[in-house]
Amino acid sequence: MASEEKDGSVNSSVAQAIDNSASLEIDQPTESTMSSGKKVDKNSEVSLQAKSKQLLSSLWEKIIGFKRVVQEKSFRFCRGGHEIEQARVYHFWPGNNVFFFKGRLICGPDPKGLILTAIAISLSSWTFAVHVASDIRNPAIIVTSSILTTIVLVSLVFVSTIDPGIIPRNDLGTIDAGKRRRRSRVVVINGIEVKLKYCNICNIYRPPRTCHCATCNNCIQQFDHHCTWIGHCVGLRNYRLHVTFLLTGLLLFAFMFIFSCKSLHHKLPGDGNGVIGLLRNDPETVALTLFSFVAMCFLAGFSCYHVYLIAINQTSYEHFHQKYVSSGNPYDKGILNNIKEALLASQPPSRVNFRADVEPGWFGGLSDISIK
């Protein structure tokens, strides 16, 4: 019995040792199994990336399709749910602009600056006519101030309500979502290389001297700046009007400042109170004189700056960012030719017809527009 028990214990210990060795062999893989495991992991990663790309592509196509469906359903119901005969481009334009008179006038997204500027000019002219020109009693002064005020206000309206040079967008639906595009291209203009950047919002390569305005959400040709005082972009098509507005505004406020000072000189009290007496007797003329002086200095600085930019044929954006410090300005044609190009050249037509009829399926661009 003792020998049988010893034999059983020996057999059990041997079996346990065999099991331990087998487990060790399983736990310690060979190099071939490790390499095959890495290959499997790489294959799984590749397949996972391919599946994710397919998933993103299908998701993007579904988003485009959903937006198309929404636009087609709202095709005949625009502007608060009222049915219209034909939808037009300005109804669905993806920029932040505000349109008036059925797309004939285009303004920036925030009209507060335009309204404030118009009120300041009108109120200053009215104060001048009532408190200054009436005391001098010279009809030529009233007529001159009225003409200058009219020119300034007309220039303000035109510069803030026309297309500054908006570049048409590309139809996102016609672009392969998986296709990679280069971030920039290089073109040669007058022997100088100019880089054309790709706009991910408008989905186009920006033409030379074009920049995307973050406020209006449009690419503007020959972008100068976004002016808060008119609430609109200043670009190729309204730059001349902007300069006209600055120069005529400078003349208007300089005219009012000169004759306001003359009126204050005649109204000085003889009791020795001086400025305090003027503030008591005619505070409107004193306020107009101070405001005209500030506006005149402000407009004089901007006018001189833009005259300099015209002479060297640069925009405010290009000059501020020092675009041509290292390479030279390919658009500089000399002072006289630069002035002719900026002030006398014919104005190019708008590249976007915002009143064009839109067919169902149009998506943020101009590829499906039919002009009737």
Side-chain angles (χ1 to χ4, degrees):
M1 293 291 292
S3 60
E4 290 179 358
E5 291 178 359
K6 288 181 181 179
D7 293 337
S9 61
V10 171
N11 293 332
S12 62
S13 61
V14 171
Q16 186 176 1
I18 292 172
D19 293 336
N20 292 334
S21 63
S23 63
L24 289 174
E25 289 179 357
I26 293 172
D27 294 337
Q28 296 177 357
T30 59
E31 294 182 357
S32 60
T33 57
M34 291 177 64
S35 61
S36 63
K38 290 181 179 179
K39 291 181 180 178
V40 171
D41 293 338
K42 289 182 179 179
N43 293 332
S44 61
E45 289 179 0
V46 171
S47 62
L48 183 60
Q49 291 178 357
K51 289 180 180 179
S52 61
K53 288 181 179 180
Q54 292 177 358
L55 181 61
L56 290 175
S57 299
S58 62
L59 180 61
W60 178 248
E61 291 176 358
K62 289 179 180 179
I63 292 174
I64 293 175
F66 176 75
K67 191 166 185 178
R68 285 181 183 273
V69 170
V70 172
Q71 286 184 341
E72 290 175 4
K73 286 185 177 180
S74 62
F75 182 71
R76 296 183 59 83
F77 294 91
C78 305
R79 301 290 183 183
H82 298 290
E83 188 173 357
I84 60 176
E85 294 182 357
Q86 179 64 46
R88 300 185 183 274
V89 172
Y90 71 91
H91 290 139
F92 301 101
W93 185 253
N96 298 331
N97 303 94
V98 180
F99 298 88
F100 297 96
F101 297 102
K102 297 182 178 181
R104 291 181 175 88
L105 301 181
I106 174 173
C107 300
D110 189 4
K112 289 185 292 186
L114 172 62
I115 296 173
L116 180 62
T117 303
I119 291 175
I121 295 172
S122 302
L123 186 60
S124 299
S125 181
W126 178 82
T127 305
F128 179 80
V130 173
H131 295 278
V132 177
S134 60
D135 293 338
I136 298 176
R137 296 179 181 178
N138 189 345
I141 295 176
I142 298 178
V143 172
T144 304
S145 64
S146 300
I147 292 174
L148 287 175
T149 302
T150 303
I151 295 174
V152 172
L153 291 177
V154 169
S155 300
L156 176 63
V157 171
F158 273 101
V159 74
S160 57
T161 56
I162 71 169
D163 176 13
I166 297 176
I167 303 295
R169 301 192 179 203
N170 197 358
D171 189 354
L172 297 180
T174 63
I175 294 177
D176 185 6
K179 184 178 179 181
R180 294 184 179 181
R181 291 178 172 268
R182 291 181 296 172
R183 298 291 298 174
S184 63
R185 289 178 178 174
V186 177
V187 296
V188 178
I189 300 176
N190 295 328
I192 298 176
E193 292 186 351
V194 178
K195 184 181 293 185
L196 306 182
K197 294 184 178 179
Y198 184 77
C199 181
N200 293 318
I201 299 176
C202 298
N203 208 27
I204 59 171
Y205 283 100
R206 299 171 188 165
R209 313 188 81 176
T210 299
C211 181
H212 189 92
C213 176
T215 305
C216 294
N217 194 24
N218 292 311
C219 277
I220 307 297
Q221 188 175 5
Q222 201 166 325
F223 176 78
D224 191 86
H225 68 288
H226 183 91
C227 183
T228 56
W229 298 106
I230 65 175
H232 204 20
C233 286
V234 177
L236 177 64
R237 299 190 69 252
N238 63 347
Y239 182 76
R240 191 179 306 170
L241 291 169
H242 177 69
V243 174
T244 303
F245 170 69
L246 290 178
L247 294 178
T248 54
L250 175 61
L251 290 176
L252 173 63
F253 283 103
F255 182 84
M256 290 192 295
F257 175 73
I258 292 172
F259 283 97
S260 296
C261 290
K262 187 176 180 179
S263 176
L264 289 177
H265 179 71
H266 289 296
K267 293 178 181 180
L268 278 174
D271 54 2
N273 289 328
V275 178
I276 298 177
L278 287 175
L279 291 174
R280 291 176 179 174
N281 299 329
D282 196 1
E284 294 86 358
T285 305
V286 175
L288 177 63
T289 304
L290 294 176
F291 181 77
S292 299
F293 177 75
V294 174
M296 181 181 63
C297 295
F298 181 79
L299 291 172
F302 271 99
S303 299
C304 293
Y305 178 62
H306 280 280
V307 169
Y308 168 73
L309 292 177
I310 291 173
I312 63 176
N313 203 343
Q314 287 191 26
T315 64
S316 300
Y317 182 83
E318 292 169 346
H319 187 262
F320 179 78
H321 291 276
Q322 300 292 312
K323 291 288 186 178
Y324 309 119
V325 173
S326 58
S327 61
N329 186 2
Y331 310 102
D332 190 2
K333 303 174 183 177
I335 295 178
L336 293 179
N337 290 328
N338 292 338
I339 294 174
K340 290 180 181 179
E341 180 180 341
L343 302 179
L344 302 178
S346 59
Q347 180 174 283
S350 177
R351 300 183 64 176
V352 181
N353 185 2
F354 292 101
R355 288 180 48 78
D357 296 339
V358 178
E359 298 297 337
W362 180 80
F363 177 72
L366 299 178
S367 60
D368 294 328
I369 292 178
S370 63
I371 301 176
K372 299 180 181 178

